[in-house]
Amino acid sequence: MPMEERGSELNFEYDGKMIKCQFLEVAKGYETVVIFVEIPGGEHAGFSVKKGDRIVAKGEIAKAIREAGIQGIEMAVPPPADSNALIMVRVTVPFESVRKRLMEVLFKEIKSRGLV
């Protein structure tokens, strides 16, 4: 996975899609990260994303991440409603240590819902 880190952003490719992570808050003991995923033909509207005739609540994606029980992810919620991001997480470990597992769970969920 080639990646590029620029200040409070991390950009990389996963499963052929571009991923952009914005670090909203980096504090002692945790990081809050908003994650954007390239979804060709996807339209974001509030707390949902639509692709073709499929509409997926971003909260359902967050729920799948919470249920995966990834060690180090303290919180997974929909991103702000005015954002084209897919998910917002708070991690209590360096993001890099949960990135691979988080992407596996995230992509399994969005594939099963027909977004990619």
Side-chain angles (χ1 to χ4, degrees):
M1 278 185 235
M3 64 180 179
E4 172 189 338
E5 192 167 356
R6 294 190 317 236
S8 63
E9 283 186 12
L10 173 66
N11 299 297
F12 59 95
E13 189 174 309
Y14 184 87
D15 201 25
K17 303 291 180 209
M18 286 307 301
I19 311 298
K20 177 177 157 184
C21 301
Q22 286 184 338
F23 293 79
L24 296 184
E25 188 175 17
V26 177
K28 187 175 182 177
Y30 71 91
E31 300 173 339
T32 303
V33 186
V34 176
I35 301 170
F36 298 79
V37 177
E38 173 188 31
I39 301 176
E43 300 174 37
H44 296 263
F47 293 110
S48 64
V49 61
K50 178 182 180 187
K51 182 175 180 180
D53 61 351
R54 294 187 183 254
I55 298 175
V56 178
K58 294 177 182 180
E60 292 297 317
I61 297 167
K63 180 181 177 194
I65 291 170
R66 287 191 303 271
E67 289 178 348
I70 302 169
Q71 196 70 15
I73 295 183
E74 177 182 80
M75 171 191 81
V77 296
D82 62 349
S83 170
N84 282 349
L86 212 52
I87 187 83
M88 183 165 64
V89 297
R90 182 180 303 141
V91 296
T92 57
V93 296
F95 181 74
E96 191 57 37
S97 68
V98 297
R99 180 168 69 113
K100 181 181 178 196
R101 180 70 180 127
L102 175 59
M103 289 300 114
E104 290 169 353
V105 173
L106 176 61
F107 270 75
K108 179 181 177 190
E109 184 65 18
I110 63 177
K111 282 180 179 179
S112 74
R113 294 182 176 271
L115 294 179
V116 293

